Amino acid sequence: MDTQWLRTFVMAAETLNFRKASEKLLLSQPSVTVHIKLLEEHLGVALFDRINNRVTLTDAGRLFYGEAEKLLAGLETSVRRMQAFAQGYRRM
C-alpha cells in the first residue's frame, strides 16, 4: 500500500470530489481515480459509491477514513522522531 494512496483517499473522503481532491493534492484527476482504484483493489472493498459523477463514502469507506488518518498521523510522528534522532536527540 502506497502512502500517497492514503493521502489521496483522505482528501477525496474529505471533499467527496475527485476533482477538488486533485487540485488540493496537485495531482491530475485521473491520478486520483487510479490511486483510489488501486487502494480499493488492495483492500478488497469499495470505499466510494459512484453515481452520476458524484461520490459518497461507503460504510467501508467511512470506517477506513479513520484508519487512514491514524496511519498517516503515525507515519508523520515516526518521520519527525527519526529526524530528531538524526539531529542528535536521544530522548523522545
Side-chain angles (χ1 to χ4, degrees):
M1 179 180 324
D2 189 304
T3 57
Q4 187 60 45
W5 300 352
L6 291 174
R7 287 184 180 92
T8 301
F9 167 72
V10 167
M11 187 58 63
E14 290 173 354
T15 63
L16 292 177
N17 185 304
F18 287 7
R19 181 188 55 77
K20 287 180 183 176
S22 72
E23 290 172 359
K24 290 179 182 264
L25 295 168
L26 303 176
L27 296 171
S28 68
Q29 185 174 342
S31 292
V32 169
T33 301
V34 168
H35 288 181
I36 298 302
K37 181 180 181 227
L38 290 170
L39 183 58
E40 288 176 330
E41 287 175 0
H42 183 78
L43 295 172
V45 65
L47 299 171
F48 291 95
D49 284 321
R50 297 155 177 88
I51 302 168
N52 298 330
N53 293 332
R54 294 190 67 209
V55 294
T56 58
L57 285 170
T58 63
D59 289 340
R62 282 189 287 282
L63 173 66
F64 190 66
Y65 175 73
E67 298 300 317
E69 284 192 311
K70 288 180 205 171
L71 286 167
L72 290 172
L75 176 63
E76 292 301 320
T77 298
S78 294
V79 168
R80 280 194 304 274
R81 292 182 81 189
M82 291 310 301
Q83 289 170 339
F85 182 84
Q87 293 176 7
Y89 294 101
R90 298 296 185 252
R91 289 182 143 188
M92 301 291 160

